[in-house]
Amino acid sequence: MQSPAGPVDADWYRHETAGEIAGSDNGLGCSANGTHAACTFRGTSANVSSYDFDGNRLWDSADLINEIAASSVPLMLDGGDVVIGDNRALYRFDSNGNIVWQTVMPRGGSPISPVLTQSGVIILGCFRGPVYAIDAATGALLSYKFIRLDEADTGFFDTQNTPAVVGDRVYISMQHKLNGGLDPDFIGALVAIDVDVTQAEPSDRLQLVWSYEFGAQSNSSPLVIDNMVLFDGARPIPGVPLDPHLFGIRDEGSSVTELWTKSPPRLTFASFAADPRGGFWHFMNGTPIITRRDIYTGNVIETINVDTLVDEIGVHMPSSAMTFSGAIDAPVLTLGVAAPGGDSYVLAIDPNGPGLRWKCRINAASIESPQGQYPILSNGVEYRTIFWHGPGRGSCAGRE
């Protein structure tokens, strides 16, 4: 799906339901299948809504799902079905908003964006909860697993990041919890879990294959390119002072090999983005620079100063996830930027220039910022980028 060519302006805006008014806070906001989008919010009701290309609200979840939904981006299945939940249950809705199934999460936890394996299993990594495996077709609870240091561990690992999936292997960046709080030794682990639905015993359907230890916390969901797993951590190892690191590890099947680590001066702010031309992009808190690195060495390939591209009053810094669209040889990178006391924008960047394809001004002198993954909708002729703008602002679609 290609990004709008520009120039771009806000085409539609939704600010009516309790969910839309509350917004998605720092959530990932919306996902889409090309013609429809589904979004999550942190309101008192209507915390999941579906929209068409023209911004018509097709359905919402009314009082069914609580504000924890905003921790996740919906999973959209073939045909437009939507899978999303809160800390009580997971739901599958059809394209009209009817409930196909609902599955109670017996050990609780706040789900962080459901993902789908090759064999049709939905995996939920949870904050303050276990890893769940649920049959996408029937909603049957196949298994759940607490990841622990050893059998004597009185705590467990949870996550605040979306899992990555390759086939039936799941990668999750996790942090160890004790007595409901973060382990004082800041123990983190990037784990590889195999999903095997042929096992008779539920406990055997989620198998921990290997674990790579680092210093928690991690602010980026794992990015998997070929057999490389890329992620960040607040420390290189547990038990040491804050020292932000980036990691490149190689999945060897039954084990893992560390290929490189890098020590940027600041914490990572959001998940990495794979560049179709090769490498990956990331950015740090408090800087307008986004950086492209080699996946096998971690070395810098190029940098872009987004504030220079915006060229407006204030220092504009990245405020959201980054998303690529378009052709492999002509990709477009979309992200939100904001300046304290200045305007907020959604930018579409041509990294081959590098240059600005378009910018969409959101709100003057706002402390809020555009959020989301910027999915694209099309009616076959035009293209629209969907995003959310901070608490109390609602949804917008940018158009040519």
Side-chain angles (χ1 to χ4, degrees), residues 51-394:
Y51 305 90
D52 66 13
F53 176 80
D54 293 313
N56 298 306
R57 190 183 310 103
L58 304 176
W59 57 267
D60 66 56
S61 59
D63 296 324
L64 186 64
I65 297 177
N66 66 31
E67 71 280 359
I68 300 298
S71 301
S72 293
V73 65
L75 170 65
M76 294 200 75
L77 302 175
D78 292 342
D81 283 17
V82 173
V83 177
I84 193 64
D86 54 23
N87 56 344
R88 302 168 299 186
L90 190 72
Y91 301 84
R92 176 172 174 171
F93 299 91
D94 67 18
S95 58
N96 296 312
N98 301 308
I99 298 174
V100 178
W101 51 253
Q102 64 183 76
T103 302
V104 172
M105 297 159 59
R107 301 303 297 271
S110 299
I112 310 295
S113 299
V115 295
L116 185 67
T117 71
Q118 183 177 356
S119 58
V121 176
I122 295 169
I123 296 296
L124 285 179
C126 290
F127 180 71
R128 295 179 178 171
V131 178
Y132 291 96
I134 296 170
D135 187 291
T138 67
L141 177 62
L142 301 175
S143 182
Y144 65 84
K145 187 179 188 69
F146 283 98
I147 307 299
R148 292 188 163 94
L149 292 169
D150 51 42
E151 292 184 358
D153 186 5
T154 58
F156 62 90
F157 286 87
D158 71 0
T159 187
Q160 58 184 15
N161 296 306
T162 304
V165 179
V166 177
D168 284 317
R169 177 160 291 190
V170 181
Y171 304 89
I172 311 177
S173 177
M174 310 193 82
Q175 56 200 6
H176 191 247
K177 294 291 185 66
L178 281 175
N179 302 317
L182 191 63
D183 188 314
D185 287 331
F186 301 104
I187 302 173
L190 191 292
V191 301
I193 298 173
D194 279 348
V195 182
D196 185 357
V197 296
T198 66
Q199 296 295 322
E201 291 296 325
S203 60
D204 294 332
R205 294 169 184 166
L206 293 175
Q207 287 292 329
L208 178 64
V209 181
W210 52 254
S211 176
Y212 174 88
E213 190 175 74
F214 66 95
Q217 296 172 297
S218 175
N219 291 330
S220 66
S221 302
L223 173 64
V224 182
I225 305 175
D226 296 329
N227 61 346
M228 291 294 297
V229 185
L230 311 167
F231 63 102
D232 81 298
R235 298 160 178 82
I237 58 175
V240 300
L242 184 68
D243 180 13
H245 267 63
L246 309 179
F247 302 91
I249 60 177
R250 184 170 62 202
D251 185 350
E252 308 284 7
S254 59
S255 62
V256 60
T257 299
E258 177 190 289
L259 287 195
W260 57 263
T261 67
K262 298 293 179 181
S263 181
R266 299 170 183 263
L267 289 167
T268 294
F269 181 78
S271 296
F272 304 158
D275 190 313
R277 304 166 303 168
F280 70 97
W281 290 85
H282 76 99
F283 63 88
M284 298 170 287
N285 280 322
T287 172
I289 305 298
I290 61 174
T291 301
R292 180 185 175 200
R293 293 181 181 267
D294 184 273
I295 66 171
Y296 299 105
T297 66
N299 293 336
V300 173
I301 299 173
E302 62 178 311
T303 61
I304 296 176
N305 187 321
V306 297
D307 183 60
T308 300
L309 294 181
V310 173
D311 193 25
E312 300 285 354
I313 295 173
V315 179
H316 292 80
M317 291 177 283
S319 64
S320 73
M322 299 175 286
T323 301
F324 273 96
S325 59
I328 293 177
D329 59 348
V332 176
L333 174 60
T334 305
L335 79 162
V337 299
D343 292 351
S344 299
Y345 292 87
V346 174
L347 305 184
I349 298 170
D350 175 7
N352 281 326
L356 190 64
R357 183 182 175 99
W358 51 258
K359 63 182 179 183
C360 181
R361 178 175 174 270
I362 305 304
N363 192 47
S366 173
I367 61 171
E368 300 162 0
S369 57
Q371 301 284 344
Q373 297 185 122
Y374 308 103
I376 297 169
L377 300 182
S378 176
N379 62 359
V381 179
E382 295 179 303
Y383 298 89
R384 292 174 177 167
T385 300
I386 311 299
F387 57 90
W388 279 88
H389 177 218
R393 288 294 168 185

